[in-house]
Amino acid sequence: MDRKSNSLKNNRKLKSNLEVAGIYAVLLVMFIIIGYPLLWTIGLSLNPGTSLYGAKMFPQNWSFTHYEWLFTNPRSNYLTWYKNTLIVAVCTSVLSTFTVALVAYAFSRYRFKGRTYGLYAFLMLQMFPVLMAMVALYILLNTVNLLDTLTGLIIIYVGTSIPMNAFLVKGYFDTIPNELDESAKLDGAGHFRIFFTIMLPLAKPILAVVALFNFMTPFMDFILPRIILRSPENFTLALGLFNFVNDQFANNFTRFAAGAILIAIPIATVFLLLQRYLVTGLTSGATKG
């Protein structure tokens, strides 16, 4: 019996060690996949030259020349692109989160004709990429004189964020007991008061997720600004950096890398501000939606 017991303990211990080793192996592979291109981008931005092929991941004579060029050189429009992207990102995040919350609240708490078909429409719209509507969006913005404007870009970002995010937030609102609404109504609260004082505070985790994702979109999206924006003074960072490499400065990838690194600063800042809500919001949206 002692031998069998020891054998079982050894097998369990071996199995546990193998599981831990497997977890660490997966984490190591993921770290390499994520860290390798990041290290190369940082290394490129610190290389004093402009050539991609002569650059090193760990340059010996590293410098901040390219960062200084972005902020001080008269030919650089980087600060303008950064300002445009921040404006679009903040406006998109705030307007999208508020609009999505209103739509999700209506579908979660109200019973009206066409409600079920509206939810089905949200599901179907998630199946089609925004790229399919680019021609229609271009014609629409041109008709209302919003082509080549940040306002038109913000409106499209806000509108396209509604189907997926509203369905996600609606699932979270469904988990909030209706008894809270009924108690508030007995105390004389109206729909807007219930929405602002009860629903929004309780839904902070999922709203933080929606706000972060919508804030990140203008920093990473290239196709939509490429179609809508024409003037260099209206470019966002993704579009500006592309033209920065492709046209104006003839494949200057080291300055491109320096500009790309600085994109992470506002995204990391917003992530740190919302981090206490993000884990709860992501898990709740995945399981309750």
Side-chain angles (χ1 to χ4, degrees):
M1 294 295 294
D2 292 337
R3 290 182 178 179
K4 289 183 178 180
S5 178
N6 291 332
S7 177
L8 288 174
K9 289 181 179 179
N10 292 333
N11 289 335
R12 290 174 182 173
K13 187 176 181 179
L14 177 61
K15 183 179 179 181
S16 177
N17 291 336
L18 290 175
E19 290 176 351
V20 172
I23 292 173
Y24 279 111
V26 172
L27 291 176
L28 179 62
V29 172
M30 295 301 297
F31 176 79
I32 294 173
I33 294 174
I34 296 173
Y36 183 76
L38 180 61
L39 288 175
W40 255 114
T41 306
I42 295 174
L44 276 175
S45 69
L46 297 177
N47 275 269
T50 60
S51 174
L52 177 64
Y53 298 102
K56 297 180 180 179
M57 183 183 295
F58 302 102
Q60 295 180 350
N61 301 319
W62 58 273
S63 69
F64 293 99
T65 304
H66 304 303
Y67 293 95
E68 295 176 2
W69 190 94
L70 290 175
F71 291 100
T72 60
N73 195 291
R75 293 186 299 168
S76 173
N77 292 323
Y78 187 76
L79 287 177
T80 302
W81 302 336
Y82 215 107
K83 181 191 70 174
N84 293 340
T85 309
L86 284 175
I87 292 173
V88 174
V90 172
C91 293
T92 300
S93 180
V94 173
L95 294 176
S96 294
T97 304
F98 183 69
T99 305
V100 164
L102 286 174
V103 174
Y105 178 70
F107 277 95
S108 176
R109 288 300 193 259
Y110 299 156
R111 297 296 180 267
F112 51 89
K113 188 175 181 180
R115 175 178 175 273
T116 303
Y117 294 107
L119 292 174
Y120 288 155
F122 284 160
L123 286 174
M124 292 185 62
L125 288 173
Q126 295 180 45
M127 297 165 48
F128 303 100
V130 182
L131 187 63
M132 295 179 61
M134 288 299 178
V135 176
L137 293 174
Y138 182 90
I139 296 174
L140 178 63
L141 291 180
N142 189 39
T143 303
V144 297
N145 295 323
L146 288 178
L147 197 63
D148 194 23
T149 63
L150 298 181
T151 303
L153 187 62
I154 292 170
I155 291 174
I156 293 179
Y157 279 142
V158 173
T160 54
S161 70
I162 292 176
M164 176 180 177
N165 293 323
F167 194 80
L168 191 69
V169 178
K170 184 261 179 189
Y172 194 95
F173 280 166
D174 288 344
T175 64
I176 300 176
N178 289 323
E179 288 77 8
L180 296 176
D181 301 23
E182 296 171 359
S183 299
K185 289 178 182 178
L186 291 176
D187 292 334
H191 294 293
F192 280 101
R193 187 173 180 182
I194 294 173
F195 175 74
F196 284 106
T197 61
I198 296 178
M199 302 299 290
L200 291 186
L202 292 177
K204 284 181 180 178
I206 195 64
L207 294 179
V209 174
V210 174
L212 178 62
F213 286 171
N214 284 287
F215 183 83
M216 292 169 57
T217 299
F219 285 94
M220 299 182 294
D221 186 28
F222 168 76
I223 297 178
L224 186 60
R226 177 70 173 174
I227 295 174
I228 294 175
L229 303 178
R230 291 290 181 268
S231 304
E233 62 271 14
N234 290 331
F235 284 173
T236 59
L237 278 172
L239 179 57
L241 288 176
F242 171 77
N243 289 329
F244 182 61
V245 173
N246 190 55
D247 298 328
Q248 190 175 1
F249 299 104
N251 297 327
N252 198 329
F253 281 95
T254 49
R255 287 177 186 164
F256 176 88
I261 289 295
L262 295 175
I263 293 176
I265 295 176
I267 296 176
T269 302
V270 173
F271 180 85
L272 291 175
L273 292 174
L274 301 177
Q275 64 174 339
R276 61 175 177 169
Y277 303 112
L278 291 177
V279 175
T280 305
L282 286 170
T283 56
S284 300
T287 58
K288 298 176 183 178

